[in-house]
């Protein structure tokens, strides 16, 4: 429960800038390219901080101290966004927030990997990564933050998003135990020249040569770009092009969170029963419905909301491609690094460059372009998924660890 809530608190703070962007863009007179850069900033920091701290966690064999530090730091840094005086200061603030939040997903999923039985691993990892994040960050986030922004200003909304991080830090410190496997930090088998695969360049070569890790990275790159392009430009499209009010926009956007909550349960559960690859293929294809619905369903909030609710079930694939399959494909002592590597490339290539590219295209082609790009990205993820090697453990071996490649 604590790790699930932790994901929600981190997502609320990370995604706050997207919901508040209509207010910020007006105050700072931002263009589409600047909006894309601010939307990408937290992801750049997230990618760098996540990969570096995940590797440090694996090498030291410790998980808990890194989680406590991450939540304490981003809670204290949240005031920087509220104090921003323009484009440059807000950009710096979001990069720093990302650096602090980056280790959260890789490290908490490494804990769940160890603590779960193989037959429920996909389900547990899906709940921990997505349920809280979608419930608080995507479902309740736009409703709460936009209400605060309308009544007290967008700066206060940033403060509201950051305060719960201190509470989570204290809860982790008090109630989360250090996983035994992390404490042991068992070395990987030796490589051909007799050196440990976890030492320096050998560890990275071993990880980068893992087929599933490479494929999951490519799928995650497309999937994360799909999500953050929509998250950055859909609120603006609904208000500017479809003439939605701020309240209508917040309610429609909250349906992405409903889809995320539902998908956090059903998609990983399907993967536990029918296989990781099958679940990734089906729900990646469904993802194209969300941006296409916003473009072609007319200006009816209920119809657009329904297409978002269905299409954003793709969010349920995120724990599978970022954590479950990568961690089932490597040695346990490299688990956090595997997830950190997938997330880093996905956040930089998809989350950071994706909105920037979408903003650049929007300025030159039209406001429809980012949503068309998002639909194409979902189909790209679908096309790569069939090549992933299945990692779902047989149910009869619940007590046996999964053997990586």
């Amino acid at each position: 429960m604590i790790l699930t809530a932790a994901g929600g608190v981190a997502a609320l703070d990370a995604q706050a800038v997207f919901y508040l962007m209509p207010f910020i863009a007006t105050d700072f007179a931002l263009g589409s390219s600047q909006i894309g850069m601010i939307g990408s900033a937290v992801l750049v920091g997230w990618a760098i901080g996540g990969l570096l701290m995940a590797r440090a966690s694996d090498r030291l064999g410790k998980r808990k101290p890194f989680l406590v530090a991450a939540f304490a730091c981003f809670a204290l840094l949240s005031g920087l966004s509220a104090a921003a005086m323009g484009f440059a200061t807000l950009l710096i603030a979001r990069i720093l927030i990302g650096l602090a939040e980056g280790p959260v997903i890789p490290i908490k999923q490494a804990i769940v990997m160890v603590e779960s039985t193989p037959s429920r691993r996909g389900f547990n990892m899906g709940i921990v990564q997505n349920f809280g994040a979608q419930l608080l960050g995507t479902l309740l986030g736009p409703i709460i933050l936009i209400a605060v922004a309308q009544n007290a200003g967008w700066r206060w909304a940033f403060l509201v998003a950051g305060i719960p991080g201190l509470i989570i830090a204290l809860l982790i410190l008090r109630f989360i135990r250090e996983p035994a496997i992390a404490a042991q930090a068992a070395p990987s088998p030796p490589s051909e020249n007799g050196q440990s695969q976890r030492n320096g360049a050998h560890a990275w070569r071993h990880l980068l040569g893992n087929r599933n890790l490479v494929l999951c990275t490519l799928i995650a790159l497309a999937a994360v770009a799909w999500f953050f392009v929509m998250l950055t430009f859909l609120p603006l499209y609904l208000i500017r092009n479809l003439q939605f009010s701020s309240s209508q926009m917040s309610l429609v956007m909250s349906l992405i969170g409903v889809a995320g909550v539902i998908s956090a349960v059903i998609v990983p559960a399907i993967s536990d029963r029918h296989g990781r690859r099958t679940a990734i293929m089906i729900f990646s294809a469904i993802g194209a419905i969300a941006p296409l619905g916003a473009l072609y369903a007319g200006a009816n909030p209920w119809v657009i909301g329904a297409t978002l609710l269905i299409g954003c079930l793709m969010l349920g694939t995120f724990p599978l491609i970022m954590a479950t399959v990568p961690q089932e494909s490597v040695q346990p002592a490299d688990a956090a690094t595997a997830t950190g590597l997938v997330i880093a490339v996905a956040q930089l290539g998809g989350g950071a460059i994706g909105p920037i590219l979408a903003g650049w295209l929007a300025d030159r082609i039209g406001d429809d372009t980012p949503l068309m790009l998002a639909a194409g990205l979902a189909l790209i993820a679908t096309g790569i998924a069939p090549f992933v090697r299945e990692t779902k453990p047989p149910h009869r071996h619940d007590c046996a660890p999964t053997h990586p490649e």
Side-chain angles (χ1 to χ4, degrees):
M1 288 296 294
I2 294 175
L3 293 180
T4 301
V9 169
L12 178 66
D13 187 77
Q15 296 177 22
V17 72
F18 301 109
Y19 308 127
L20 300 174
M21 189 57 72
F23 303 93
I24 298 169
T26 299
D27 279 3
F28 292 163
L30 301 178
S32 294
S33 295
Q34 290 175 310
I35 290 169
M37 291 177 68
I38 289 175
S40 301
V42 69
L43 306 180
V44 173
W46 196 312
I48 296 170
L51 182 57
L52 294 178
M53 291 300 101
R55 191 58 188 161
S57 172
D58 279 341
R59 291 181 67 86
L60 295 175
K62 299 291 182 182
R63 308 297 191 204
K64 182 174 173 178
F66 288 91
L67 275 184
V68 173
F71 280 96
C73 286
F74 92 68
L76 294 174
L77 288 168
S78 63
L80 291 178
S81 295
M85 300 306 295
F87 168 72
T89 51
L90 182 58
L91 188 70
I92 293 170
R94 300 314 293 174
I95 291 173
L96 293 176
I97 288 290
L99 287 170
E101 291 182 345
V104 171
I105 292 177
I107 293 175
K108 72 175 183 174
Q109 289 289 43
I111 294 174
V112 178
M113 181 76 177
V114 173
E115 299 293 340
S116 298
T117 58
S119 65
R120 287 181 57 86
R121 185 181 293 146
F123 178 82
N124 292 341
M125 295 179 88
I127 292 292
V128 166
Q129 181 167 334
N130 262 22
F131 189 85
Q134 299 303 326
L135 178 63
L136 184 55
T138 313
L139 172 56
L140 299 179
I143 297 172
I144 295 171
L145 296 179
I146 290 174
V148 173
Q150 288 175 327
N151 289 279
W154 60 265
R155 298 180 188 277
W156 280 100
F158 274 123
L159 293 177
V160 169
I163 291 172
L166 290 175
I167 299 173
I168 293 296
L170 293 174
L171 290 174
I172 293 173
L173 186 64
R174 175 65 178 84
F175 295 108
I176 297 296
R177 61 179 178 139
E178 186 70 50
I181 189 70
Q184 294 167 3
S188 300
S191 60
E192 293 180 0
N193 61 6
Q195 292 179 285
S196 173
Q197 292 173 340
R198 298 185 69 243
N199 289 333
H202 295 285
W204 290 110
R205 280 199 295 268
H206 174 63
L207 291 172
L208 294 174
N210 185 293
R211 170 177 167 171
N212 271 3
L213 204 58
V214 172
L215 292 174
C216 283
T217 299
L218 294 174
I219 296 171
L221 193 154
V224 168
W226 163 84
F227 180 57
F228 280 103
V229 166
M230 283 202 305
L231 207 58
T232 302
F233 291 97
L234 184 55
L236 294 167
Y237 186 83
L238 295 177
I239 289 177
R240 292 177 178 176
N241 297 78
L242 300 184
Q243 304 301 308
F244 283 21
S245 67
S246 295
S247 297
Q248 286 177 316
M249 180 272 286
S250 69
L251 289 174
V252 169
M253 291 299 295
S254 72
L255 291 175
I256 297 178
V258 175
V261 170
I262 295 171
S263 67
V265 177
I266 65 171
V267 178
I270 289 173
S271 83
D272 280 337
R273 185 172 182 84
H274 299 290
R276 317 298 191 211
R277 179 173 55 207
T278 299
I280 295 169
M281 288 170 56
I282 292 172
F283 289 96
S284 293
I286 288 173
I289 295 173
L292 293 178
L295 286 173
Y296 300 114
N300 187 317
W302 295 103
V303 176
I304 291 178
T307 62
L308 286 177
L309 184 62
I310 295 170
C312 288
L313 292 176
M314 181 178 173
L315 291 168
T317 67
F318 282 31
L320 298 178
I321 58 180
M322 294 179 184
T324 307
V325 175
Q327 293 193 18
E328 287 177 339
S329 302
V330 301
Q331 296 292 337
D334 288 322
T337 303
T339 293
L341 181 60
V342 173
I343 291 176
V345 176
Q347 300 286 43
L348 289 174
I353 297 176
I356 293 173
L357 175 61
W360 184 84
L361 291 172
D363 282 338
R364 287 155 179 79
I365 301 175
D367 292 342
D368 292 359
T369 312
L371 298 181
M372 290 297 298
L373 175 62
L377 290 164
L379 296 178
I380 289 172
T382 306
I384 299 172
F387 299 98
V388 173
R389 287 176 178 166
E390 186 56 63
T391 62
K392 182 183 79 70
H395 285 290
R396 65 181 181 273
H397 296 313
D398 278 2
C399 296
T402 304
H403 296 290
E405 292 181 359

